[in-house]
Amino acid sequence: MLCYFTLCRTFKEMKLFVPLCSSVLLICLFAPKSQSDSPPLQDVCPMAPQGERKLFMNGFLCKHPSTILASDFKTLLLNHAGDLNNMFRSSVNMVTATEFPGLNTLGLSMARTDIDPSGVVLPHSHPRASEMMFIHGGSVVVGFFDTKGRLFQKTLGQGEVFIFPRGLVHYIMNYGFGRATTFSVLNSQNPGVIGITHAMFTTDSDVVEGLMARMLKFGDMGLSDNSTAGLPWAF
């Protein structure tokens, strides 16, 4: 008889235990998602004093649904090359939700890069996005550094795709005899750009010119993938 009552009490406890575990499991699964912060879409956002607070969103307000048009999702901003008449012999045209309203809330932006022979896109990073780059024409040398200082470099031709992971410093060099053109998609509507050299030197600095020369020499070295030996811009 004692065994019977013990089993009954155990069964009742199990009936309470199972739904309790289920509830805890659901909380663990869904609470992190609902309580986590949205990724920032600007560099900094300190809290305004209470008397100065006005409406400011992490992004942009949406159009009223009744006013949305098909033209909101079309752009011609990437149909032509930018100005390549500069010391870098390159141009990068970034299109974000600011220029292309249809990108708002989609977590996407686009870019077109044009590089003349012996031209470069100096080392830079995107703090809020990874970049997937498609080679539309020409030949380029691309590379990025991971947080351990390892170099991942490849020579790419027309039709090939390369990925620059989020926040990592990367660069592009024209490796051919004609103009190279690439198109990129980034997974943020405001990826941000941090130019490593521009943050420290003016664009007409001898240091920047020296870096360009060393980068072009770097592309000619034909280093194997992931090699960090003999970096030509090491001072």
Side-chain angles (χ1 to χ4, degrees), residues 107-124:
L108 296 171
S109 58
M110 308 176 299
R112 171 174 175 157
T113 302
D114 294 277
I115 313 174
D116 276 340
S118 300
V120 301
V121 176
L122 292 180
H124 64 282

Side-chain angles (χ1 to χ4, degrees), residues 58-150:
N58 187 29
F60 302 101
L61 290 171
C62 301
K63 294 179 66 174
H64 191 279
S66 64
T67 66
I68 297 175
L69 304 172
S71 58
D72 292 326
F73 305 96
K74 175 186 175 182
T75 182
L76 296 175
L77 293 175
L78 299 182
N79 72 342
H80 60 277
D83 181 15
L84 285 79
N85 187 24
N86 53 69
M87 67 177 297
F88 309 110
R89 295 181 286 278
S90 66
S91 70
V92 179
N93 183 13
M94 180 81 71
V95 177
T96 68
T98 303
E99 298 83 22
F100 188 9
L103 292 175
N104 192 35
T105 75
L106 298 183
L108 296 171
S109 58
M110 308 176 299
R112 171 174 175 157
T113 302
D114 294 277
I115 313 174
D116 276 340
S118 300
V120 301
V121 176
L122 292 180
H124 64 282
S125 67
H126 304 291
R128 292 182 288 273
S130 298
E131 177 179 355
M132 183 168 64
M133 186 180 69
F134 169 77
I135 313 304
H136 177 69
S139 177
V140 296
V141 172
V142 301
F144 68 86
F145 295 92
D146 69 6
T147 56
K148 296 180 180 179
R150 292 186 301 168

Side-chain angles (χ1 to χ4, degrees), residues 24 30 56 68 97 140 156 162 169 173 217:
V24 172
F30 292 102
F56 186 88
I68 297 175
V140 296
L156 304 175
F162 195 79
V169 174
M173 297 178 284
K217 180 182 177 182

